[in-house]
Structure formats: C-alpha cells, structure tokens
Amino acid sequence: MKTLDWIVLIGTLSFIVIYGVWKTRGSKNIEGYLKGDNTMKWWTIGLSIMATQASAITFLSAPGQAYDDGMRFVQFYFGLPIAMVILSITVVPIYHKLKVYTAYEYLENRFDLKTRVLTAILFLTQRGLAAGFTIFAPSLILSTLLGWNIYYTNLVIGLMVIIYTVSGGTKAVAQTQKYQMGVILLGMVAAGILVVKLMPENVGFVDALEIAGKTGRLNVVDLEFDPTSKYNIWSGLIGGGFLALSYFGTDQSQVARYLTGSSIGQSRLGLLFNGIIKIPMQFFILLIGALVYVFYIFQPAPLFFNNVIEERTIQSEVGAEYLDKKERYDNINTEKRQYAIGYLEALDEGNDLEAKKKVQALQQADKKSKAVKKEALSVIEKADPNADTNDTNFIFLTFVINYLPAGLVGLIIAVIFSASMSSTSSELNALASTTIVDIYKRLYKKNASERHYLNASKVFTMFWGVYAILFAMYANRLGTLIEAVNKLGSLVYGTILGVFLVAFYMKNIKARETFIAAIISESIILLCFFFTDIPFLWYNVIGSLIVLIVAYLLKILRPDSNITSNN
C-alpha cells in the first residue's frame, strides 16, 4: 500500500470511530443504551439493517463466488422482500406494542421462562461465534495478501468496534452505520467502474457482459427444482425466505435495529427499504465478480489466488508438477483471450456463424481451464494436506491490490474494515442486550438500579467484544467465508423461527409442547448437518416445520393438557 492509501484508510476509520463516540455520548439509562430512546427514522433503520447484514464477508466472498460459479448466489436473497412484508405486517406491531428490549422477551409473555432462555441461549451461541467470524474473515484475507500480522489486524478491528459500541450503545451502532454504508457503496461503485475502464480499449461494458454471459457467469436465475442444488429460485424463495424470516424476525442483531424506530411506521419503512434495496445491491456486487472474471481473460490470470499457499506449493517437492499445471493454465487463458476477441469481432461484423464457433471454443477452453485448476488443487493438497484449497475469498482483493490506483486501494480496504465493524458492532450490541435482559436481569439481578444495568450492559458489550477477538485469534480454516457464516446461522435459525411461528400463529399450543418441539428440531438439524448432504438453506425450512408439526402433534396427544402459557 502507498502513502495515499494509508491516509485514506486511517482517515476514514478514525472519522467513523470518533464520530460514533462523540455523537452518542452520555447515555443515561438502559432504554437509551439498548433501544436508542426509540428516536430513529426509517432511513437510519434501513441503512443500519443493511450494514448489519452486509459484513466484510459479503464484499470479499461474493465477487469471488461470481468469478468461479457465476451470479446464481443472488437467488439466496429472492425470498427476502416477501419476508420483509410479512414481518412488517405481523411482527413489528407486536414488538412495539409490548415495548420489548429483545425478541426473546416476547416468548416469556407467550410461553414461559425456559422457552425464552432456550432461544436466547441458541442466539448467544450462534451470534457469539459469528461475531468472531466477522472479525477474522477480513483479517485472514488482508494478512495473506498484504503481509499484515493477522493477530494485530484482529485486534485493531475488534478494539475500534468495542470503543464506540461500549461508549454509545445502539445509537452509536446506528449512527456509525450510516457512514459505513456510504463508504461501502462509494468503494464498490468505484471498483465496478474501474474494472470496466481497465478492460482493453475495444472491450466495453456491453462486450464484457456478452463474454460473461456466454461463459456462464451471468446465471442469475435457475428455475429447475433440485433439492440438492444450493442455489436455485426455489431454494432462494423457500429456504432463503425462511432464513430471512428468522434472521430479521428473531435474531436480536436485526430486531434491535428496528426496535429503535420512533413508531411502527418508521420500523416498517426501514424493513421495506431493506427488502427493496438488498437484491439490487447484491446483484451489483456479484456483477463486479463476473466482470473481474472477464478482466482476467484479457490479463494474466493467477492459477491460485492465495499467493502464500501457491508459493509454498512451488517450493515443495511437488513444485515442478504445480508449475506444469500453471503453464498449461496460462496457455489455455491465452486461447480464451483469442476466442473472446474473435467472438467480439464476429459480433461487430454481424457474422453469426463465426460468433457461434468462437463462443463454443471459448466455452470449451473455459471448461479446460477449470479442469486444470482442479488438478492444480490436488497438487496443493499433495504439498500440504491441511491447506485450504478454496481461493474464492482472495479473488476480488487480489484484483484491487494489483490493478486499482493509489487511494482507491485504501478506500476498498476501508470498505472491508467498515463492513466488518458495522456487522460486529450490531452483533456485540445484540449479544449484550440479550445477555443483560434475558439472562442477567431476568435470572440473577432482578431489582437493580438503572445505573447498574447501564454499567452492566457496557461490561457485557466489552465481554462479547473480547470473546469475538479471542475467537478470531484462534480460528483457522473457514472455507468459503460467506457460506460458513450462513451455515452457522442456519443451524439454529430454523428452530428459533419455528418457536416464533408457533407463538404468533398457533395460539392454542402452549409452552411445554413448544419447548419439546424445539429441542427435537435442533437435534435433528444437527444430525442433518453432520450426517447428510442436505444444502444448508433447507435447514431453515426443516427446522421450522419440525417445530410446527411436533408441537401440533404433542397438542393432539395431550388435548386435556393443563399446561398453560403466561400469556
């Protein structure tokens, strides 16, 4: 990184932290610290919701996924707008009417204490680990590509978040996320424009889309119903829809964002804003990855984007074998370049027959390059059986570091830091809220003063921040980062959503049936994870349906049950 990059990076991050501390100083009670005194407007809520979901993993992994696999990952979000409408109609009024601090507080009103505590513990377990992921993911990539010390990078990200989140609570999270989203959008738009500008002079934006489409990188929609496929329109609408209902309706890191709304209408508008903007934003991020793929057709493309592992392989006893694969890959890439140029020339000349021949040749060359890369990954595993052979997370940042001008490199790295900080701050705030309201205040210290709970909230925020940093320090292989985080959430979201669906819509089912159904559901989901190949998006559907069905069956088997809820 050049001096200008450091100035942009340090200046951007310093402004966000200082602004967050200054703007939200002086919380007097737990209401202000955890709910922002219910003063937030819809645009702040909407941007905060988006910033919470759009972690650094989104901007590191998503372009790489499009580079390798095309844009079909966007289908993951197709169920989100529907979920936002459902939550706006049903869930938001309930939370506002009851004036709850957390989503799980409602469950004690509807069922009993043990159901509330169970869902809170499931959330704390999953979200505590996820907070470590959101710190570790960018640190891993930045340390590998820039040579930074991964432990110092973890520490810097974690401490910056702790400073303003402990200081200002929910208000600090919401206020800083507005500017973090601004930095993120500015950086990604700049990267998208420059990847097109850096193409050869005779290759424009439309030409790049033509090549991306013909090589399968614009595979946005797959209409085939295939339960074994991770990403198609059905897994997106059904599995992704259930995941969105659970994440935005029951995960405190998101619920806390719209609980700060000054009214039901403001909270609803914030959710609907997210439902409208999220898919186009994710489409654009994936499109950048597809364009980076086209860019590397016209430039020397790395065989493996994690240069540390690649260099280690070259220095090993199988180095000659790897270099042979690399030479073959480079030769195929040269062929792809020639076929792509020939295809565009044939299009300009209106020669459809020649264009078709060049496309077929380009597609065959693309298949050959994938086959050679697969062989190269086997060589890497020979050199080091424990090596992570998934380089998806390194693709976009490799392009940024090697080809973007000074200043913009610093801005993109600021994007990654900002995204990590925005997600982590929401997670720490939500973890502290759930710990203080659902565990500490409810079970251990029921009648303390407002000042005591405010100080305890800050202590728990700091505790979870340190916990996340420690997890990040000791985390190692994560595979595809964006999938790792969603898999982790899917292990518990289905069960939690099922409990809330029973609470909202099955009023005759009581606490005992729901609690037993939740335990059974979570056990089955863990069995599916460890012993089956079911794609993770379906865990959300399976978990929810098991809770609903088992709770209903238990009610039928015990029609004269004297167990009543607290409602």
Side-chain angles (χ1 to χ4, degrees):
M1 283 176 59
K2 296 183 171 62
T3 302
L4 182 58
D5 294 316
W6 283 108
I7 292 172
V8 171
L9 175 61
I10 294 172
T12 301
L13 299 182
S14 298
F15 168 77
I16 289 171
V17 173
I18 293 169
Y19 178 83
V21 172
W22 174 77
K23 185 73 174 176
T24 59
R25 63 197 184 282
S27 292
K28 298 292 191 298
N29 52 46
I30 193 174
E31 176 87 14
Y33 191 77
L34 297 183
K35 294 180 68 178
D37 291 318
N38 293 107
T39 58
M40 300 301 171
K41 300 300 182 183
W42 68 267
W43 56 86
T44 301
I45 295 169
L47 290 173
S48 185
I49 288 170
M50 290 175 64
T52 297
Q53 187 182 20
S55 69
I57 297 166
T58 301
F59 303 100
L60 288 170
S61 282
Q65 280 206 324
Y67 181 102
D68 273 342
D69 189 44
M71 295 177 60
R72 66 192 185 116
F73 180 71
V74 75
Q75 296 169 112
F76 174 86
Y77 298 97
F78 281 5
L80 188 144
I82 300 170
M84 296 302 96
V85 172
I86 293 172
L87 293 174
S88 295
I89 294 171
T90 59
V91 173
V92 171
I94 293 174
Y95 287 160
H96 270 269
K97 180 181 178 181
L98 295 175
K99 297 182 179 179
V100 295
Y101 285 88
T102 74
Y104 319 109
E105 196 176 351
Y106 162 72
L107 293 179
E108 184 174 1
N109 294 326
R110 172 64 176 84
F111 295 123
D112 59 8
L113 178 59
K114 68 177 182 294
T115 306
R116 173 184 181 178
V117 172
L118 172 65
T119 53
I121 289 173
L122 286 175
F123 166 75
L124 291 172
T125 302
Q126 182 271 335
R127 189 51 61 186
L129 295 175
F133 270 102
T134 55
I135 293 174
F136 174 71
S139 298
L140 173 66
I141 312 304
L142 292 168
S143 64
T144 301
L145 293 179
L146 296 174
W148 295 358
N149 184 295
I150 190 170
Y151 300 108
Y152 291 155
T153 310
N154 286 333
L155 198 60
V156 168
I157 294 175
L159 288 178
M160 284 193 296
V161 174
I162 288 173
I163 288 170
Y164 68 79
T165 308
V166 169
S167 172
T170 295
K171 276 188 180 179
V173 173
Q175 293 295 339
T176 54
Q177 283 178 330
K178 289 191 298 185
Y179 292 97
Q180 285 163 337
M181 277 304 297
V183 171
I184 288 167
L185 293 174
L186 177 63
M188 296 308 290
V189 168
I193 292 171
L194 279 172
V195 71
V196 176
K197 292 287 187 183
L198 290 170
M199 299 280 185
E201 288 186 9
N202 59 335
V203 179
F205 177 64
V206 175
D207 297 325
L209 291 181
E210 281 281 354
I211 295 171
K214 296 303 182 184
T215 51
R217 266 60 185 187
L218 300 184
N219 53 343
V220 175
V221 178
D222 179 4
L223 296 175
E224 182 181 357
F225 182 79
D226 181 2
T228 64
S229 173
K230 285 187 293 187
Y231 306 120
N232 55 53
I233 193 169
W234 307 109
S235 67
L237 286 173
I238 302 171
F242 271 77
L243 177 58
L245 282 171
S246 185
Y247 177 52
F248 292 98
T250 71
D251 188 308
Q252 181 61 20
S253 66
Q254 283 293 0
V255 173
R257 309 283 67 80
Y258 56 85
L259 283 180
T260 62
S262 59
S263 67
I264 292 175
Q266 295 296 316
S267 295
R268 281 173 165 168
L269 286 172
L271 279 172
L272 294 174
F273 174 78
N274 177 60
I276 293 169
I277 299 298
K278 181 61 181 179
I279 293 177
M281 186 182 84
Q282 197 65 39
F283 179 91
F284 176 71
I285 293 168
L286 288 164
L287 181 61
I288 291 174
L291 293 172
V292 168
Y293 167 79
V294 177
F295 171 83
Y296 274 116
I297 288 179
F298 298 102
Q299 297 290 337
L303 173 56
F304 192 71
F305 281 86
N306 187 330
N307 55 358
V308 172
I309 291 179
E310 183 179 58
E311 188 59 33
R312 197 184 302 151
T313 303
I314 292 172
Q315 298 300 324
S316 72
E317 59 184 17
V318 294
E321 185 180 357
Y322 182 84
L323 289 173
D324 176 64
K325 308 295 183 191
K326 188 174 176 62
E327 183 179 357
R328 286 173 55 199
Y329 188 82
D330 291 341
N331 291 336
I332 294 170
N333 205 54
T334 300
E335 293 176 13
K336 286 166 65 176
R337 187 176 307 125
Q338 293 169 350
Y339 295 140
I341 292 171
Y343 169 64
L344 294 177
E345 289 175 348
L347 282 182
D348 289 340
E349 296 167 0
N351 190 338
D352 293 340
L353 182 60
E354 183 65 17
K356 185 176 180 180
K357 288 180 181 178
K358 295 298 183 183
V359 163
Q360 290 173 343
L362 177 60
Q363 291 169 343
Q364 285 300 117
D366 191 50
K367 288 179 182 177
K368 286 196 292 183
S369 68
K370 287 181 178 179
V372 172
K373 181 162 185 174
K374 189 174 181 180
E375 294 172 9
L377 297 182
S378 298
V379 177
I380 291 173
E381 288 180 336
K382 281 186 194 176
D384 180 5
N386 295 318
D388 184 358
T389 56
N390 191 324
D391 64 344
T392 302
N393 309 308
F394 297 85
I395 292 172
F396 177 61
L397 200 54
T398 297
F399 162 75
V400 168
I401 292 169
N402 291 336
Y403 291 99
L404 293 195
L408 276 176
V409 174
L411 179 62
I412 296 299
I413 293 176
V415 165
I416 294 166
F417 270 93
S418 294
S420 177
M421 290 162 61
S422 66
S423 292
T424 306
S425 63
S426 292
E427 289 165 340
L428 298 188
N429 181 248
L431 288 163
S433 300
T434 303
T435 304
I436 197 75
V437 173
D438 296 302
I439 307 296
Y440 182 76
K441 186 179 179 182
R442 183 63 184 84
L443 299 177
Y444 297 104
K445 202 81 171 177
K446 297 183 179 181
N447 298 306
S449 66
E450 280 291 311
R451 172 58 60 180
H452 175 86
Y453 290 131
L454 176 62
N455 291 334
S457 297
K458 293 184 177 183
V459 169
F460 281 121
T461 302
M462 190 175 297
F463 164 79
W464 283 110
V466 172
Y467 175 90
I469 292 172
L470 290 175
F471 176 83
M473 293 292 189
Y474 290 98
N476 43 40
R477 292 176 59 195
L478 292 179
T480 304
L481 297 174
I482 197 165
E483 284 192 2
V485 170
N486 287 314
K487 282 180 182 177
L488 186 61
S490 294
L491 290 178
V492 300
Y493 281 151
T495 299
I496 295 175
L497 177 60
V499 172
F500 275 87
L501 289 175
V502 172
F504 292 143
Y505 303 115
M506 302 173 75
K507 297 296 185 181
N508 61 328
I509 294 180
K510 309 302 181 185
R512 184 175 184 275
E513 295 94 328
T514 306
F515 184 82
I516 293 172
I519 296 294
I520 292 172
S521 171
E522 192 58 34
S523 301
I524 292 174
I525 290 300
L526 291 174
L527 288 173
C528 289
F529 175 71
F530 287 111
F531 300 109
T532 75
D533 295 322
I534 297 172
F536 70 89
L537 273 180
W538 292 105
Y539 296 167
N540 302 282
V541 182
I542 294 169
S544 300
L545 291 179
I546 289 173
V547 173
L548 295 173
I549 293 169
V550 171
Y552 180 73
L553 291 176
L554 289 173
K555 177 64 179 175
I556 292 175
L557 293 173
R558 292 172 56 86
D560 57 341
S561 173
N562 293 320
I563 304 296
T564 60
S565 73
N566 292 339
N567 191 21

